[in-house]
Amino acid sequence: MARVVIGLSGGVDSSVAAWLLKEQGHEVIGLFMINWHDTTGTLEGDCPWHDDRVFAELVAKKLDIALHVVDLSAEYRTRVVDYMFAEYERGRTPNPDVLCNREIKFDVFLREALKLGADYVATGHYCRKAEERLPDGRTVYKLLAGTDPNKDQSYFLCQLSQEQLSRALFPVGRLLKPEVRRIAAEQGLATAKRKDSQGICFVGKVDLPTFLQQKLASKRGNVHEILPSWPKYARKAMLPAPDEAPSDELLAALAEPWHYTVRDGKKIGEHNGAHFYTIGQRKGLGIGGRKESLFILATDTRENVIYVGEGDAHPGLWRPALRMRPEEVHWVNPLRMLHVGESARFMVRIRYRQPLQDARLFMREAGAYLLFDEPQRGITPGQFAAWYDGDELVGSGVIEA
């Protein structure tokens, strides 16, 4: 059996994962990460890491395993939070949980685990891993969706490398969440009824503008409304047939985000900073008196202008395609890599919990394009698109446009 270092977070999933590893006969060591000290912007009532540590200690004692504590807050701030601030300042919306897994849990944390003699690191993620042996003796590791469709967290791991996957174990990936709760209760684990964590990874639930104001200053700007009759919406009405290979020019045109100027719409209000808002957002505008909700269609951080539209069906919320820069395309399974000029069909999601969408992936000199069978709502620069073949998460990329 192996020596496995598990990230004990103080939650029920990692607690049950540790119990399962012990039941399998592994030597299990708990490692609790302190990744954030600042409470700026944290919503009242959200549990700080101090409470998480207490629960991790209770679980470790119950399971009779050693628990080590490591402070990774400097690396977390540099590699996750500073990146978040920079992306929001550019008018993009990053996904800190994906970054946290790539940069912290399966990189910095992995190095700490190796210092403890770990053969593997384990987490409480709801996903699975498979292996394929090649004729030349190499092993390719595959990332698979979790068995529980309501808890599948493979999307959050869409940036992991082969080296990171080779060391990873996901003990609860084949279980349903109710089964995890039941095991925790049966084993008398303190986390059995503890609520799942929410919000930014290791920071918790935050008031985003307050959190971002640590680095990004408030700045009054105008809100302009774009009407559904805006003439340029007609330009993306014609999509290529499912079996048609679109030209590079057509792909670029379909993936181009909507660009507005203040002359395209009427001023209807003010805001505190364009970088505090994200595409598709409907809360926080403070503009009422409408039959339907107002949604963010675009943000211009350079001119500090927000463009909005009324109603979920507004054409400015929907687009048929997106682009990813060549250097920001990542293949979890290198055997499935597409080269320039190639294309393939995949199932895609552009945000966590979104139902998988049918799409074609085209590799071009200018990057990778995802052309969806049906237009998608709220395609957001800075977020990650992940593509699947059945249960396997094949690759991912940062949405550029």
Side-chain angles (χ1 to χ4, degrees):
M1 290 292 106
R3 172 177 284 190
V4 182
V5 171
I6 183 164
L8 273 185
S9 65
V12 66
D13 300 325
S14 63
S15 303
V16 171
W19 179 82
L20 289 169
L21 291 168
K22 276 206 73 174
E23 285 295 291
Q24 294 164 9
H26 296 295
E27 178 189 355
V28 182
I29 299 171
L31 186 57
F32 179 83
M33 292 178 281
I34 300 172
N35 283 344
W36 194 248
H37 295 279
D38 195 348
T39 58
T40 303
T42 302
L43 297 179
E44 188 177 356
D46 191 54
C47 294
W49 65 263
H50 303 82
D51 292 350
D52 296 333
R53 179 173 177 173
V54 169
F55 277 94
E57 290 170 344
L58 290 170
V59 169
K61 185 175 182 180
K62 180 70 176 180
L63 297 178
D64 192 27
I65 62 174
L67 179 66
H68 299 262
V69 178
V70 60
D71 191 327
L72 304 179
S73 56
E75 291 91 343
Y76 184 79
R77 176 175 284 280
T78 300
R79 297 170 67 166
V80 178
V81 177
D82 286 351
Y83 176 87
M84 278 180 57
F85 286 132
E87 287 287 272
Y88 273 106
E89 192 168 24
R90 292 174 59 196
R92 289 158 55 108
T93 305
N95 189 308
D97 294 293
V98 174
L99 291 169
C100 180
N101 286 314
R102 185 185 74 189
E103 301 290 334
I104 303 298
K105 291 180 182 175
F106 292 94
D107 189 353
V108 182
F109 176 86
L110 173 59
R111 294 202 301 269
E112 292 294 328
L114 293 176
K115 292 178 186 177
L116 298 173
D119 299 305
Y120 297 97
V121 295
T123 67
H125 283 103
Y126 286 83
C127 60
R128 296 169 292 145
K129 184 177 83 169
E131 300 179 9
E132 180 181 348
R133 294 280 290 182
L134 302 182
D136 61 7
R138 289 182 299 141
T139 300
V140 172
Y141 299 93
K142 300 180 179 182
L143 177 63
L144 307 180
T147 299
D148 190 335
N150 294 315
K151 289 295 293 182
D152 169 38
Q153 294 174 313
S154 57
Y155 174 83
F156 290 136
L157 304 176
C158 68
Q159 287 277 293
L160 293 193
S161 68
Q162 284 289 296
E163 173 62 25
Q164 290 170 319
L165 272 177
S166 72
R167 296 280 192 173
L169 296 176
F170 307 111
V172 302
R174 298 184 182 277
L175 299 179
L176 304 180
K177 183 73 177 197
E179 294 178 277
V180 171
R181 292 280 186 194
R182 176 181 56 78
I183 291 171
E186 289 175 352
Q187 299 306 315
L189 301 180
T191 54
K193 294 184 178 180
R194 198 168 187 225
K195 289 183 178 180
D196 292 344
S197 60
Q198 293 180 314
I200 299 173
C201 182
F202 291 119
V203 176
K205 293 185 73 173
V206 299
D207 176 68
L208 193 59
T210 303
F211 182 76
L212 293 175
Q213 281 171 25
Q214 295 175 78
K215 288 281 186 73
L216 307 180
S218 296
K219 184 181 179 183
R220 295 294 287 177
N222 295 332
V223 178
H224 284 250
E225 181 180 6
I226 305 297
L227 296 178
S229 57
W230 188 55
K232 292 184 181 179
Y233 286 141
R235 69 181 168 90
K236 292 184 184 177
M238 297 298 293
L239 294 177
D243 57 348
E244 179 185 344
S247 66
D248 291 10
E249 292 76 14
L250 180 56
L251 278 174
L254 293 172
E256 186 72 14
W258 303 117
H259 295 292
Y260 309 102
T261 71
V262 292
R263 294 184 299 275
D264 294 321
K266 176 184 175 183
K267 178 186 173 182
I268 60 169
E270 295 185 342
H271 60 81
N272 288 320
H275 41 248
F276 297 144
Y277 297 87
T278 186
I279 292 172
Q281 179 180 336
R282 68 178 176 85
K283 294 183 179 179
L285 282 170
I287 300 173
R290 295 301 183 108
K291 186 176 180 181
E292 296 186 73
S293 297
L294 289 172
F295 292 86
I296 306 285
L297 304 179
T299 62
D300 183 343
T301 54
R302 180 173 295 178
E303 299 297 330
N304 197 32
V305 179
I306 286 176
Y307 297 97
V308 301
E310 183 174 352
D312 188 66
H314 193 288
L317 286 172
W318 300 84
R319 282 171 41 207
L322 62 85
R323 183 177 77 91
M324 298 164 285
R325 292 162 62 184
E327 66 272 20
E328 293 190 325
V329 176
H330 172 69
W331 294 93
V332 178
N333 183 345
L335 298 181
R336 303 296 302 276
M337 182 184 299
L338 297 181
H339 300 283
V340 172
E342 296 179 331
S343 65
R345 290 198 71 88
F346 290 105
M347 300 292 286
V348 179
R349 61 170 46 104
I350 58 174
R351 65 181 67 86
Y352 178 53
R353 286 193 176 279
Q354 182 200 27
L356 289 168
Q357 306 291 309
D358 290 294
R360 286 183 288 168
L361 178 64
F362 297 88
M363 296 301 298
R364 297 291 188 262
E365 290 286 352
Y369 291 89
L370 280 167
L371 178 60
F372 295 92
D373 289 8
E374 300 289 339
Q376 298 296 299
R377 181 188 182 282
I379 293 177
T380 307
Q383 290 281 296
F384 290 87
W387 45 95
Y388 293 73
D389 182 1
D391 277 352
E392 183 186 1
L393 197 163
V394 175
S396 67
V398 183
I399 299 171
E400 175 66 20

